[in-house]
Amino acid sequence: MKRRCLLPKLLGLALALPVAVLAQQGGQPAVGADGGIRLDTITVPYSGFASPEARAFFPKMLAEGSKAPPLTGPIEQSRAFYDHMNSDRAARMEKLYAVKTHKETIGGVGADVVEPADGISPQNRDRVLINLHGGAFLWGAHSGALVEAIPIASVGHIKVVSVDYRQGPEHVFPAASEDVEAVYRALLKQYKPGHIGIYGCSAGGVLTGEAVARLIDHKLPVPGAIGTFCGSLVNMDGDSVYVAPLLNGQPVPDHPLRLNDLPYFKGASVTDPMVFPGQSPALLAKFPPTLLITGTRDMAMGSVIQSQALLSRAGAETELHVWDGMWHSFFSDPEIPESRDAYRVIVEFFDRHLGHK
C-alpha cells in the first residue's frame, strides 16, 4: 500500500532521494544555497524492504498516534493516553512472551522487575539488565516499562529491572540520572559491573547515555554493555527530524522538537556533557560496548547514527542496526517480524558482552 502525502511548498527539506526522482514525483525541485530543497508535491511509497506485516500495520499505527494529546496540553491527558496504549501493548506481549512481574524498591527507587516465567537461565543467574523506559521524560512508567522489558526478559531468559525514574514536569534534570545511579549502586552489591547491562528506548535511550556519563563522572565502574534505541547521546537533529515526519504523513516541521524543549530539561545546558555525552570525546572513550537501534522513519535516526559515529571515533565498541521503513520505537508493537528481529539482536548483544562466570 502506498502512502501519499501532498504538502504545499515544503521549505528546507533535506530529502534523501535523487533529484531526478523528485522531479518525476513532484515537479522540478528548487535547491537553496544552504542545500535545502523546495518542492510542491511528493509521493513516497512505503519501503519495499519492510515486511508485509509492517506494511499492513503502518497505517494503523499512524492513525492511533494521530490521536495523541499535544505535548503542550495537560500532562494528565498524555499520561492517560500513553498508559492506555502501552497497557494494550503489554497485554499483547504477555500472550506471546510468558513472564512474571513484581514491583520492588531498589536503592530507594521504585522498579518493575520482569523475569521469564520458566526461570532465569543458568548463564544469566549472575547477570541483570536495567531498562529505562521511553516517554519524552513525561510518561511511560510501569506500562511503558513493561513493553520494553517483557520480550527481552522472555527471549533472553534474564532478569530485567525497569526503573521508575523521576520525570518532568514535576522534576528536572538530573533527577532521572540520580535515580538510575541509585539503582545501579544497589545492584552492584549483588552483581559485578561487567554483568550488568543498561538499555532504553527514546527518552530511555537518551537517559541510558546520561546515566553512563554520570557513572563515569562519579568514578563508578561502567556496566558491561549498554543499548541506546531510538534516542542516544546527542540532541535531535540531522535529516531525520525533517524527513521522518514527511514519511509518517505529517508536514515537514519549521522548528523540529529538540530534547531541550522538553520540560524535564528546563534550566539544563545543551553544552553539558552530562546532558549530551556526545559532546565529550574523552567521556565517550570510557563508554562500554554500545548497541544502537533505529529505523529509517524515526525522527531520531540522525541522532542515533551520529552518536554511533562519535562513539566509534572515540574508540568505543559499537553495533548499529537500522531497520528500513521502521518508525520511532517500532519494536513496542510485538507482532511484526522487525520487532522480533530487534529482540533477538538485543538479547544476543548483551549475551556476548555481559560477563560470564
Side-chain angles (χ1 to χ4, degrees):
M1 183 181 69
K2 294 185 178 181
R3 296 292 299 172
R4 186 172 182 82
C5 305
L6 301 179
L7 304 174
K9 300 186 182 301
L10 304 181
L11 301 176
L13 173 60
L15 188 62
L17 290 173
V19 170
V21 174
L22 291 174
Q24 294 171 8
Q25 294 285 354
Q28 184 62 40
V31 182
D34 62 352
I37 298 175
R38 177 179 176 179
L39 55 120
D40 291 324
T41 62
I42 184 170
T43 299
V44 182
Y46 188 64
S47 169
F49 292 128
S51 68
E53 293 90 341
R55 180 183 298 272
F57 186 80
F58 183 66
K60 301 174 185 177
M61 181 275 300
L62 293 182
E64 184 177 23
S66 68
K67 301 173 185 177
L71 275 175
T72 53
I75 185 60
E76 296 78 13
Q77 292 182 7
S78 290
R79 285 177 178 165
F81 176 85
Y82 287 106
D83 182 61
H84 177 78
M85 175 186 290
N86 286 323
S87 294
D88 176 69
R89 287 167 164 168
R92 285 150 48 201
M93 284 181 167
E94 288 184 319
K95 293 178 181 179
L96 300 171
Y97 302 102
V99 295
K100 52 186 179 181
T101 67
H102 69 273
K103 296 186 185 301
E104 195 171 327
T105 299
I106 303 173
V109 180
D112 293 279
V113 179
V114 183
E115 299 179 15
D118 55 356
I120 297 169
S121 65
Q123 67 266 30
N124 286 331
R125 287 174 185 160
D126 294 310
R127 296 167 164 182
V128 67
L129 294 177
I130 299 173
N131 167 246
L132 308 177
H133 66 79
F137 290 95
L138 292 168
W139 59 78
H142 306 306
S143 58
L146 292 177
V147 166
E148 296 184 30
I150 288 171
I152 304 306
S154 178
V155 174
H157 293 91
I158 192 168
K159 179 178 181 178
V160 179
V161 174
S162 288
V163 181
D164 183 13
Y165 58 85
R166 286 172 290 171
Q167 304 183 91
E170 297 90 347
H171 305 280
V172 296
F173 177 88
S177 298
E178 292 171 348
D179 290 345
V180 179
E181 180 185 355
V183 171
Y184 186 74
R185 283 182 180 273
L187 291 175
L188 282 176
K189 298 174 182 178
Q190 183 179 355
Y191 301 91
K192 297 176 181 178
H195 291 226
I196 301 174
I198 305 177
Y199 73 96
C201 174
S202 193
V206 175
L207 179 56
T208 296
E210 292 174 339
V212 171
R214 184 179 180 89
L215 298 180
I216 293 170
D217 188 57
H218 287 193
K219 307 290 193 277
L220 288 169
V222 297
I226 64 171
T228 64
F229 314 146
C230 306
S232 197
L233 311 179
V234 297
N235 209 344
M236 301 276 285
D237 209 338
D239 283 352
S240 64
V241 297
Y242 299 99
V243 177
L246 173 68
L247 297 179
N248 290 302
Q250 303 165 7
V252 175
D254 291 328
H255 304 286
L257 177 71
R258 309 296 187 194
L259 292 171
N260 52 287
D261 294 328
L262 298 173
Y264 173 73
F265 291 104
K266 182 179 180 180
S269 172
V270 294
T271 62
D272 184 353
M274 295 297 107
V275 177
F276 296 123
Q279 298 176 108
S280 172
L283 188 61
L284 296 186
K286 299 176 182 178
F287 264 56
T290 303
L291 173 65
L292 302 98
I293 287 176
T294 187
T296 58
R297 298 192 175 214
D298 181 1
M299 72 281 191
M301 181 178 71
S303 63
V304 171
I305 291 174
Q306 177 68 0
S307 296
Q308 187 274 335
L310 293 171
L311 282 165
S312 180
R313 191 179 304 160
E317 182 178 349
T318 65
E319 185 173 312
L320 171 66
H321 290 257
V322 182
W323 272 268
D324 206 72
M326 293 300 103
W327 48 91
H328 190 69
S329 187
F330 66 91
F331 43 83
S332 293
D333 292 291
E335 292 84 4
I336 61 176
E338 289 84 352
S339 294
R340 296 193 290 273
D341 285 343
Y343 306 150
R344 174 185 53 79
V345 164
I346 294 167
V347 165
E348 291 178 353
F349 177 83
F350 282 117
D351 186 54
R352 287 196 306 274
H353 289 285
L354 295 190
H356 296 261
K357 289 189 66 174

